[in-house]
């Protein structure tokens, strides 16, 4: 369990039932965390935030002072992020970019294109002639590199070194490097290499992956200015207090960066930046026993917080007891020590956390699910069963 911050706790307890469920974000906690991440990284390493983890404008803005830019993965994210944090550098990645999206990105003046295929490179060159005349457009080639055996063993979502729709195989990337350096595409500039190979890696594994990417990129034998080694830093939903070891990662990147003084290294985490600043808060509607197991049914469910269903984990939860009970009918309460917290959807998959220590849990008690600041609301199937949407609260000591 991670306890909500005092500000979040106060807000969750002060909201009327009708305003639950709610997403409550602690922007002060987000700023503190982002500042610590930035501090742990060498000055020369650039930090981009992968907006897909949580693109709420308040989150993007709060991260502003600590990041060098934002990574966007669609035309929608591009327009949204450009509007929410105007003037900040953007890198445009993701498979299946449409001609319209590429055109919009050229017109927006995106700083970097992360090119995913030879076809996309060709399309970009053609469109750039029309929509970015007289400009050389900066390109990072996204490469799907096989990574050293075992270094991705702990990863939950490996994307590198096996068949995926992401990036180019090394041999295809070498072809693309040739096309970018032999005059085929004079209006494109090969700025560097990009790779995002896995998610859920610990610091030592991340350093090893970064090292293989840089070694491969510098072995191409062409001058490169940048290598983007991606995101995917581990967030431990089973042990939320144990955070990614940014200090160890920073040290590894510092060493790598000293070995390659000509290169700017860049990382683009999403989850590990914003997961910790969000809570999905709700109240218990019913407590019941089913074939020997106790269930607390909460207002809302996985249509708002799909993360535990997609990742197959129990979302960490804290119970905030409420002593008043407004109804004339009796208040149901748990008899045992452990309660499974489920939502209001008519599917057995709508479980937020199993066997939560919640002795005596009563209807009307509140529950705050933590680590709900990334891949939470924005990956959820909001309209299934047509329950009302949650409220959104962005708490900030700065006002
Ligand atoms: C999703 C994604 C990220 C961020 O991954 P996290 O696991 O949230 O850190 C970074 N780069 C690319 C290309 C991505 O697709």
């Amino acid at each position: 369990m991670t306890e909500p911050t005092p500000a979040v706790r106060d807000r969750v307890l002060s909201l009327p039932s009708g305003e639950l469920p709610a997403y409550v974000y602690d922007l002060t906690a987000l700023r503190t965390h982002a500042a610590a991440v930035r501090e742990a990284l060498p000055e020369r390493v650039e930090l981009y935030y992968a907006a897909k983890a949580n693109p709420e404008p308040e989150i993007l803005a709060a991260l502003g002072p600590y990041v060098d830019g934002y990574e966007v993965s669609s035309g929608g994210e591009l327009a949204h992020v450009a509007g929410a944090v105007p003037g900040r550098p953007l890198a445009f990645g993701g498979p299946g970019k449409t001609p319209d999206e590429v055109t919009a990105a050229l017109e927006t003046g995106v700083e970097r294109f992360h090119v995913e295929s030879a076809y996309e490179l060709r399309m970009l060159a053609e469109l750039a002639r029309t929509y970015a005349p007289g400009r050389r457009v900066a390109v990072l080639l996204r490469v799907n590199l096989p990574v050293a055996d075992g270094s991705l063993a702990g990863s939950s979502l490996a994307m590198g070194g096996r068949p995926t729709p992401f990036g180019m195989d090394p041999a295809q990337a070498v072809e693309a490097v040739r096309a970018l350096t032999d005059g085929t595409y004079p209006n494109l500039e090969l700025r560097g290499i990009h790779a995002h190979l896995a998610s859920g890696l610990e610091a030592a594994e991340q350093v090893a992956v970064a090292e293989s990417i840089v070694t491969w990129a510098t072995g191409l034998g062409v001058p490169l200015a940048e290598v983007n080694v991606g995101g995917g830093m581990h967030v431990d939903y089973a042990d939320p207090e144990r955070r990614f070891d940014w200090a160890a990662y920073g040290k590894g990147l510092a060493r790598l960066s000293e070995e390659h003084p000509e290169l700017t290294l860049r990382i683009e985490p999403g989850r590990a930046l914003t997961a910790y600043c969000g809570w999905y808060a709700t109240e218990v509607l019913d407590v019941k026993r089913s074939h020997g197991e106790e269930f607390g049914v909460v207002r809302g469910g996985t249509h708002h917080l799909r993360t535990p269903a997609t990742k197959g984990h129990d979302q960490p939860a804290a119970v905030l007891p409420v002593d008043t009970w407004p109804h004339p009918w009796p208040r149901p309460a748990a008899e045992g020590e452990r309660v499974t917290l489920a939502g209001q959807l008519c599917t057995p998959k709508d479980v937020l956390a199993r066997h939560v220590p919640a002795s005596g849990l009563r209807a009307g008690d509140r529950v705050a699910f933590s680590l709900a600041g990334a891949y939470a609301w924005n990956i959820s199937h909001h309209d299934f069963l047509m329950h009302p949407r949650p409220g959104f609260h962005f708490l900030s000591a700065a006002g």
Side-chain angles (χ1 to χ4, degrees):
M1 320 216 146
T2 22
E3 293 301 320
T5 61
V8 171
R9 186 187 177 88
D10 286 353
R11 179 62 59 95
V12 172
L13 288 171
S14 69
L15 287 171
S17 292
E19 292 186 31
L20 292 170
Y23 269 95
V24 185
Y25 298 100
D26 189 327
L27 297 181
T28 305
L30 175 60
R31 288 188 195 98
T32 305
H33 175 59
V37 169
R38 181 61 265 181
E39 185 64 28
L41 297 170
E43 211 174 313
R44 286 188 48 217
V45 170
E46 291 190 358
L47 171 63
Y48 273 45
Y49 171 59
K52 79 169 187 284
N54 186 334
E56 295 292 343
E58 291 85 350
I59 300 274
L60 298 174
L63 286 171
Y66 313 103
V67 300
D68 298 284
Y70 299 82
E71 190 260 352
V72 298
S73 294
S74 73
E77 282 190 356
L78 172 68
H80 172 80
V81 175
V85 283
R88 297 305 306 273
L90 303 180
F92 183 25
K97 296 180 190 72
T98 67
D100 286 350
E101 288 177 315
V102 170
T103 300
L106 287 166
E107 288 176 335
T108 308
V110 155
E111 263 73 9
R112 303 282 179 276
F113 281 84
H114 295 168
V115 172
E116 302 258 349
S117 72
Y119 166 74
E120 197 178 290
L121 191 64
R122 176 68 201 261
M123 186 216 299
L124 175 61
E126 293 287 340
L127 291 170
R129 287 205 303 195
T130 311
Y131 298 100
R135 222 169 76 208
R136 284 189 90 206
V137 173
V139 163
L140 268 63
L141 297 175
R142 181 170 181 182
V143 188
N144 177 357
L145 284 179
V147 275
D149 252 355
S151 65
L152 292 189
S155 159
S156 54
L157 269 183
M159 280 167 274
R162 61 187 186 84
T164 72
F166 309 114
M168 301 177 220
D169 288 357
Q172 297 165 342
V174 166
E175 279 297 305
V177 165
R178 189 169 308 138
L180 284 164
T181 49
D182 71 1
T184 306
Y185 300 128
N187 60 343
L188 302 184
E189 178 200 355
L190 173 62
R191 188 67 65 87
I193 294 297
H194 169 260
H196 170 70
L197 298 175
S199 80
L201 297 187
E202 298 289 0
E205 301 167 317
Q206 282 282 8
V207 171
V209 167
E211 215 160 339
S212 14
I213 299 166
V214 168
T215 303
W216 185 84
T218 51
L220 286 166
V222 296
L224 296 176
E226 301 167 5
V227 175
N228 182 328
V229 297
M233 294 71 188
H234 186 53
V235 168
D236 193 341
Y237 290 88
D239 186 2
E241 304 298 338
R242 194 176 72 82
R243 296 202 184 179
F244 183 78
D245 191 346
W246 288 101
Y249 188 49
K251 272 196 197 118
L253 291 181
R255 184 169 42 73
L256 205 52
S257 177
E258 276 157 31
E259 286 164 15
H260 301 280
E262 75 290 356
L263 276 186
T264 297
L265 295 184
R266 183 177 305 135
I267 63 171
E268 51 180 25
R271 191 186 302 274
L273 280 179
T274 51
Y276 301 100
C277 77
W279 282 262
Y280 176 63
T282 184
E283 69 170 357
V284 178
L285 294 172
D286 196 353
V287 178
K288 57 197 281 194
R289 187 170 272 281
S290 169
H291 294 279
E293 184 169 340
E294 277 191 298
F295 285 83
V297 180
V298 301
R299 209 185 264 267
T302 53
H303 52 307
H304 296 162
L305 175 63
R306 193 161 175 251
T307 328
T310 45
K311 284 187 68 78
H313 65 222
D314 295 316
Q315 198 70 23
V319 174
L320 311 181
V322 172
D323 289 332
T324 54
W325 175 250
H327 306 297
W329 52 83
R331 188 177 187 184
E335 290 157 18
E337 298 290 310
R338 303 227 162 221
V339 179
T340 290
L341 299 173
Q344 295 173 287
L345 301 184
C346 307
T347 158
K349 292 190 176 167
D350 189 22
V351 173
L352 293 159
R354 290 184 169 74
H355 313 304
V356 175
S359 174
L361 183 77
R362 302 157 296 182
D365 284 339
R366 300 210 162 163
V367 181
F369 293 94
S370 58
L371 270 59
Y375 304 103
W377 166 251
N378 66 323
I379 64 156
S380 304
H381 44 301
H382 310 146
D383 293 330
F384 187 42
L385 263 83
M386 301 176 72
H387 286 292
R389 296 199 165 201
F392 286 83
H393 303 261
F394 297 89
L395 310 183
S396 176

